[in-house]
Amino acid sequence: MTAPTKPPHSHPADAGADAPLAQPLQETVIDWFDENARDLPWRRPEAGPWGVMVSEFMLQQTPVNRVLPVYEQWLARWPRPADLAKEAPGEAVRAWGRLGYPRRALRLHGAAVAIAERHGGDVPTDHAQLLALPGIGEYTAAAVASFAYGQRHPVLDTNVRRVFARAVTGVQYPPNATTAAERKLARTLLPDDERTAARWAAASMELGALVCTAKNESCHRCPIAAQCAWRLAGKPEHDGPPRRGQTYAGTDRQVRGKLLAVLREAHLPVPQAALDRVWHEPVQRARALDGLVADGLVEPLPGGMYRLPLT
């Protein structure tokens, strides 16, 4: 997530009857962001569009403090998409380290290959072209277009959705999956000036990351606490569907991580016996390994050997 240069504030294009609500929110949150934004490498001008794209892949479901060292190493090794595209996909998985959800590494590699082949090695500026890249969905396309190129797109990650749910809708948490109503609200709150819209996207995301957090929210530090519908309603408890947990210990995800750790450390094919040692339960271990193969993260070889994928 980058921090676009500070523009003049503007009115939302689609606000309609909600314009009196939208403009004060925009101005207050952007002013707060100007004073409180973190200095992150992907927000600096030298990061460029590729640095923004890499950060967006890495930050999905992963906190900033875990991403920072891997991001720095990644950009030092592959400063342009074409540099990554020349490597085997398994090298992307290896460099991903312990960030988790390693399929993101394969998707980022696939996007780099497509950028090199279709766009002359430059991250495309057009939202539709970004969306057409492999592994890129609506959120990532909007985020890259907004944060890298200063364009006007609603950028709805978990943090933004939580801020909007509380400040405008008056509920503690947004739905588990993004809804049409949330997208409509995001468009309503979006300033019409492109640079202001890009800064609003970054600012509302930062507010959710630092202040309007999922747990232990800091309402006393929130610049829009006086306008927050959820706080004004007495902060009612969430009464929707149960929120998805993030359990890890003992899951197939943990086993997959242990298997991949062995393969990342090895630069030659690994025998089945070496993988068998990482987890005591053979059925779960086999299921996890089969899943890694099916996902393209591990390549089986004759003779019971395995390696990270070369193609």
Side-chain angles (χ1 to χ4, degrees):
M1 180 180 68
T2 59
T5 55
K6 183 178 180 179
H9 300 314
S10 67
H11 294 271
D14 304 317
D18 291 323
L21 168 68
Q23 188 183 7
L25 285 177
Q26 294 163 8
E27 293 181 349
T28 304
V29 173
I30 290 173
D31 287 343
W32 170 87
F33 184 65
D34 292 338
E35 298 296 326
N36 295 278
R38 290 169 291 179
D39 178 20
L40 299 172
W42 45 85
R43 289 178 172 164
R44 299 169 192 159
E46 60 267 25
W50 173 238
V52 173
M53 177 177 285
V54 170
S55 76
E56 288 300 332
F57 272 79
M58 290 185 174
L59 287 165
Q60 294 166 21
Q61 298 179 283
T62 308
V64 165
N65 64 332
R66 290 183 59 201
V67 166
L68 282 170
V70 180
Y71 173 88
E72 299 280 13
Q73 294 164 10
W74 191 284
L75 267 296
R77 181 174 179 181
W78 298 309
R80 290 181 50 80
D83 300 316
L84 176 59
K86 293 174 185 175
E87 297 266 16
E91 286 305 300
V93 176
R94 193 189 312 279
W96 199 256
R98 296 185 177 276
L99 283 183
Y101 303 100
R103 277 178 289 183
R104 293 179 293 168
L106 289 183
R107 290 169 182 154
L108 184 51
H109 181 274
V113 170
I115 290 169
E117 293 176 348
R118 304 176 198 169
H119 302 288
D122 294 321
V123 176
T125 61
D126 182 73
H127 178 269
Q129 291 180 330
L130 287 165
L131 196 56
L133 294 173
I136 290 190
E138 176 56 40
Y139 164 77
T140 304
V144 173
S146 179
F147 301 145
Y149 295 117
Q151 297 176 14
R152 181 183 183 272
H153 296 282
V155 182
L156 277 173
D157 82 334
T158 301
N159 289 314
V160 176
R161 293 175 62 223
R162 186 170 56 253
V163 169
F164 290 177
R166 291 175 179 173
V168 181
T169 311
V171 297
Q172 185 178 17
Y173 299 117
N176 284 335
T178 307
T179 66
E182 287 180 283
R183 293 188 179 95
K184 180 179 179 181
L185 175 61
R187 291 192 300 270
T188 296
L189 296 175
L190 192 63
D192 61 351
D193 174 76
E194 283 204 332
R195 291 172 60 214
T196 308
R199 196 154 186 85
W200 162 248
S204 53
M205 189 177 294
E206 189 80 332
L207 185 65
L210 298 183
V211 176
C212 193
T213 50
K215 297 179 181 178
N216 303 316
E217 64 280 352
S218 300
C219 296
H220 64 284
R221 296 195 295 119
C222 181
I224 55 172
Q227 303 150 271
C228 176
W230 181 58
R231 192 190 69 83
L232 293 173
K235 299 170 74 169
E237 293 289 329
H238 176 67
D239 65 354
R243 301 181 69 234
R244 291 190 293 259
Q246 292 291 327
T247 55
Y248 182 72
T251 63
D252 284 5
R253 271 190 61 217
Q254 183 184 22
V255 184
R256 286 163 60 102
K258 288 180 175 292
L259 293 169
L260 273 182
V262 174
L263 293 164
R264 281 198 308 270
E265 294 297 322
H267 291 272
L268 294 173
V270 171
Q272 176 80 54
L275 297 176
D276 288 346
R277 288 194 288 270
V278 307
W279 196 253
H280 61 282
E281 209 289 304
V283 174
Q284 188 179 26
R285 186 179 64 235
R287 182 172 65 241
L289 182 58
D290 288 345
L292 290 170
V293 171
D295 289 341
L297 290 161
V298 172
E299 185 177 340
L301 300 172
M305 307 291 284
Y306 296 86
R307 69 183 178 195
L308 296 178
L310 293 182
T311 57

